[in-house]
Amino acid sequence: MASTGGRILRCAPWPAVGGTAALAVLMFTLAAISGHGTLPMIATVFALSACGSSAGYVLDEFAVGVADASPTSRTRRVQWRLVALVAPVAVGFGGLAALAELQPDIETMRLAPFAAGAIATGVGVAACLRRAGRPAPGGGAAAVVFLALTLLAVANPLQRWLPAATFAGDPHAGRTVLLWTVLVSGCVVLTATSARDPGRSPVRS
């Protein structure tokens, strides 16, 4: 089983996952060295959106037709592929923790729900595209997630009622946590649904 998992992980799109995670590191670095004002917050949002893009690549499986005919089930392969989330998770939450020490006035840990939501959304969008018949949805998922999350956090159109991201002094942090909790739960369901083997009924007879 370990050798099977190792083969699945080796076939994961590590250059894409690592490349977008490296972009997030670059954005976190910019936030850390840019002093005060709005630039550190914007750079942090870009970094977390890049983490979401990185998560969008983990389900890529170019030879999905051949893989579905193998003894290893799609559910098992997806479970092993999700191990690759260690890269965006480590970068996202590690970056927030580092910024909390370097820029305590920004209170970057308030963005932890946004970070979790960004990563879950990346996987959820990729799962939807997989279910729609795209065996390697990472490129499309990464672009959609990066743009959508960045616009959602920067424009924050529902800031007065349901803010997507909260910073220092924002009184609606609880609503933000609720928003991302619901979205993360939805993405978990979508990913589990897309992981079912083709033609297998979700209900046992």
Side-chain angles (χ1 to χ4, degrees), residues 4-5 19 22 55 58 67-68 73 92 115 124 139 149 153 157 163 169 173 183 191-192 197 200:
T4 300
V58 301
D68 280 339
S73 68
L149 290 175
L183 287 177
T191 304
D197 288 316
R200 180 171 296 177

mmCIF file of all heavy atoms in Angstrom, residues 4-5 19 22 55 58 67-68 73 92 115 124 139 149 153 157 163 169 173 183 191-192 197 200:
data_model
loop_
_atom_site.group_PDB
_atom_site.id
_atom_site.type_symbol
_atom_site.label_atom_id
_atom_site.label_comp_id
_atom_site.label_asym_id
_atom_site.label_seq_id
_atom_site.Cartn_x
_atom_site.Cartn_y
_atom_site.Cartn_z
ATOM 1 N N THR A 4 2.186 1.856 -3.428
ATOM 2 C CA THR A 4 1.132 2.404 -4.283
ATOM 3 C C THR A 4 0.940 3.883 -4.007
ATOM 4 O O THR A 4 0.853 4.704 -4.935
ATOM 5 C CB THR A 4 -0.192 1.662 -4.040
ATOM 6 O OG1 THR A 4 -0.021 0.276 -4.343
ATOM 7 C CG2 THR A 4 -1.299 2.239 -4.900
ATOM 8 N N GLY A 5 0.871 4.253 -2.738
ATOM 9 C CA GLY A 5 0.746 5.663 -2.383
ATOM 10 C C GLY A 5 1.915 6.477 -2.862
ATOM 11 O O GLY A 5 1.756 7.611 -3.331
ATOM 12 N N GLY A 19 5.210 25.551 -7.699
ATOM 13 C CA GLY A 19 5.396 26.867 -8.308
ATOM 14 C C GLY A 19 4.424 27.898 -7.763
ATOM 15 O O GLY A 19 4.818 29.030 -7.443
ATOM 16 N N ALA A 22 5.336 28.678 -4.255
ATOM 17 C CA ALA A 22 6.488 29.584 -4.221
ATOM 18 C C ALA A 22 6.057 31.028 -4.476
ATOM 19 O O ALA A 22 6.609 31.973 -3.895
ATOM 20 C CB ALA A 22 7.524 29.145 -5.259
ATOM 21 N N ALA A 55 -3.595 24.596 -4.333
ATOM 22 C CA ALA A 55 -4.468 23.471 -3.975
ATOM 23 C C ALA A 55 -5.284 22.987 -5.162
ATOM 24 O O ALA A 55 -5.668 21.815 -5.223
ATOM 25 C CB ALA A 55 -5.392 23.885 -2.835
ATOM 26 N N VAL A 58 -3.887 19.725 -7.090
ATOM 27 C CA VAL A 58 -3.565 18.435 -6.480
ATOM 28 C C VAL A 58 -4.370 17.275 -7.063
ATOM 29 O O VAL A 58 -3.944 16.116 -6.960
ATOM 30 C CB VAL A 58 -3.749 18.483 -4.939
ATOM 31 C CG1 VAL A 58 -2.860 19.543 -4.325
ATOM 32 C CG2 VAL A 58 -5.195 18.707 -4.558
ATOM 33 N N ALA A 67 -5.973 4.979 -15.158
ATOM 34 C CA ALA A 67 -5.930 4.810 -13.712
ATOM 35 C C ALA A 67 -7.229 4.217 -13.179
ATOM 36 O O ALA A 67 -7.222 3.399 -12.252
ATOM 37 C CB ALA A 67 -5.657 6.155 -13.035
ATOM 38 N N ASP A 68 -8.369 4.602 -13.767
ATOM 39 C CA ASP A 68 -9.641 4.058 -13.303
ATOM 40 C C ASP A 68 -9.759 2.566 -13.580
ATOM 41 O O ASP A 68 -10.544 1.877 -12.922
ATOM 42 C CB ASP A 68 -10.804 4.799 -13.979
ATOM 43 C CG ASP A 68 -11.105 6.137 -13.323
ATOM 44 O OD1 ASP A 68 -10.718 6.311 -12.147
ATOM 45 O OD2 ASP A 68 -11.699 7.004 -13.979
ATOM 46 N N SER A 73 -8.534 2.235 -6.435
ATOM 47 C CA SER A 73 -9.759 2.979 -6.681
ATOM 48 C C SER A 73 -9.471 4.471 -6.799
ATOM 49 O O SER A 73 -8.451 4.984 -6.309
ATOM 50 C CB SER A 73 -10.755 2.747 -5.538
ATOM 51 O OG SER A 73 -10.272 3.333 -4.341
ATOM 52 N N GLY A 92 0.606 28.760 3.568
ATOM 53 C CA GLY A 92 -0.446 29.686 3.954
ATOM 54 C C GLY A 92 -0.445 30.001 5.440
ATOM 55 O O GLY A 92 -0.350 31.176 5.842
ATOM 56 N N ALA A 115 -7.698 31.761 4.699
ATOM 57 C CA ALA A 115 -6.677 30.821 4.216
ATOM 58 C C ALA A 115 -7.259 29.420 4.071
ATOM 59 O O ALA A 115 -7.064 28.750 3.043
ATOM 60 C CB ALA A 115 -5.490 30.809 5.179
ATOM 61 N N GLY A 124 -12.111 22.234 -4.145
ATOM 62 C CA GLY A 124 -13.514 22.083 -4.512
ATOM 63 C C GLY A 124 -13.787 22.429 -5.963
ATOM 64 O O GLY A 124 -14.527 21.712 -6.652
ATOM 65 N N GLY A 139 -5.122 23.882 -14.063
ATOM 66 C CA GLY A 139 -4.898 25.193 -14.662
ATOM 67 C C GLY A 139 -6.124 26.079 -14.586
ATOM 68 O O GLY A 139 -6.045 27.244 -14.165
ATOM 69 N N LEU A 149 -10.905 34.791 -5.493
ATOM 70 C CA LEU A 149 -10.572 35.067 -4.095
ATOM 71 C C LEU A 149 -9.955 36.446 -3.925
ATOM 72 O O LEU A 149 -10.251 37.148 -2.951
ATOM 73 C CB LEU A 149 -9.616 33.995 -3.568
ATOM 74 C CG LEU A 149 -10.205 32.601 -3.386
ATOM 75 C CD1 LEU A 149 -9.117 31.615 -2.975
ATOM 76 C CD2 LEU A 149 -11.312 32.619 -2.335
ATOM 77 N N ALA A 153 -11.732 39.291 -1.662
ATOM 78 C CA ALA A 153 -11.104 39.839 -0.462
ATOM 79 C C ALA A 153 -10.796 41.323 -0.593
ATOM 80 O O ALA A 153 -10.980 42.090 0.351
ATOM 81 C CB ALA A 153 -9.817 39.072 -0.158
ATOM 82 N N PRO A 157 -17.295 42.954 -1.379
ATOM 83 C CA PRO A 157 -18.566 43.618 -1.677
ATOM 84 C C PRO A 157 -19.610 43.514 -0.561
ATOM 85 O O PRO A 157 -20.488 44.354 -0.464
ATOM 86 C CB PRO A 157 -19.040 42.907 -2.953
ATOM 87 C CG PRO A 157 -18.361 41.578 -2.920
ATOM 88 C CD PRO A 157 -17.025 41.834 -2.287
ATOM 89 N N PRO A 163 -18.382 39.772 5.502
ATOM 90 C CA PRO A 163 -17.063 40.036 4.915
ATOM 91 C C PRO A 163 -16.298 38.756 4.623
ATOM 92 O O PRO A 163 -16.316 37.807 5.410
ATOM 93 C CB PRO A 163 -16.359 40.868 5.996
ATOM 94 C CG PRO A 163 -17.044 40.503 7.270
ATOM 95 C CD PRO A 163 -18.476 40.219 6.902
ATOM 96 N N GLY A 169 -9.611 45.505 13.734
ATOM 97 C CA GLY A 169 -10.695 46.444 13.970
ATOM 98 C C GLY A 169 -12.014 46.079 13.325
ATOM 99 O O GLY A 169 -13.016 46.752 13.562
ATOM 100 N N ALA A 173 -15.882 39.471 12.530
ATOM 101 C CA ALA A 173 -15.029 38.290 12.359
ATOM 102 C C ALA A 173 -15.829 36.998 12.480
ATOM 103 O O ALA A 173 -15.568 36.022 11.776
ATOM 104 C CB ALA A 173 -13.898 38.306 13.375
ATOM 105 N N LEU A 183 -18.431 27.145 3.412
ATOM 106 C CA LEU A 183 -17.815 26.886 2.113
ATOM 107 C C LEU A 183 -16.833 25.713 2.182
ATOM 108 O O LEU A 183 -16.777 24.898 1.257
ATOM 109 C CB LEU A 183 -17.112 28.139 1.608
ATOM 110 C CG LEU A 183 -18.042 29.253 1.120
ATOM 111 C CD1 LEU A 183 -17.248 30.480 0.710
ATOM 112 C CD2 LEU A 183 -18.892 28.775 -0.037
ATOM 113 N N THR A 191 -15.604 17.307 -3.097
ATOM 114 C CA THR A 191 -14.413 16.495 -3.336
ATOM 115 C C THR A 191 -14.707 15.018 -3.107
ATOM 116 O O THR A 191 -14.287 14.161 -3.886
ATOM 117 C CB THR A 191 -13.262 16.956 -2.420
ATOM 118 O OG1 THR A 191 -13.021 18.344 -2.630
ATOM 119 C CG2 THR A 191 -12.000 16.170 -2.714
ATOM 120 N N ALA A 192 -15.450 14.714 -2.047
ATOM 121 C CA ALA A 192 -15.807 13.321 -1.768
ATOM 122 C C ALA A 192 -16.678 12.756 -2.880
ATOM 123 O O ALA A 192 -16.520 11.596 -3.284
ATOM 124 C CB ALA A 192 -16.535 13.233 -0.424
ATOM 125 N N ASP A 197 -15.721 6.168 -7.589
ATOM 126 C CA ASP A 197 -15.354 5.473 -8.819
ATOM 127 C C ASP A 197 -16.484 5.581 -9.840
ATOM 128 O O ASP A 197 -17.658 5.576 -9.477
ATOM 129 C CB ASP A 197 -15.070 3.995 -8.541
ATOM 130 C CG ASP A 197 -13.749 3.825 -7.805
ATOM 131 O OD1 ASP A 197 -12.784 4.493 -8.196
ATOM 132 O OD2 ASP A 197 -13.692 3.036 -6.851
ATOM 133 N N ARG A 200 -20.209 3.798 -9.884
ATOM 134 C CA ARG A 200 -20.515 3.215 -8.589
ATOM 135 C C ARG A 200 -21.607 4.032 -7.918
ATOM 136 O O ARG A 200 -21.517 5.244 -7.800
ATOM 137 C CB ARG A 200 -19.272 3.180 -7.714
ATOM 138 C CG ARG A 200 -19.523 2.583 -6.322
ATOM 139 C CD ARG A 200 -18.218 2.367 -5.582
ATOM 140 N NE ARG A 200 -17.394 1.380 -6.282
ATOM 141 C CZ ARG A 200 -16.178 1.052 -5.874
ATOM 142 N NH1 ARG A 200 -15.641 1.607 -4.813
ATOM 143 N NH2 ARG A 200 -15.492 0.163 -6.564
#
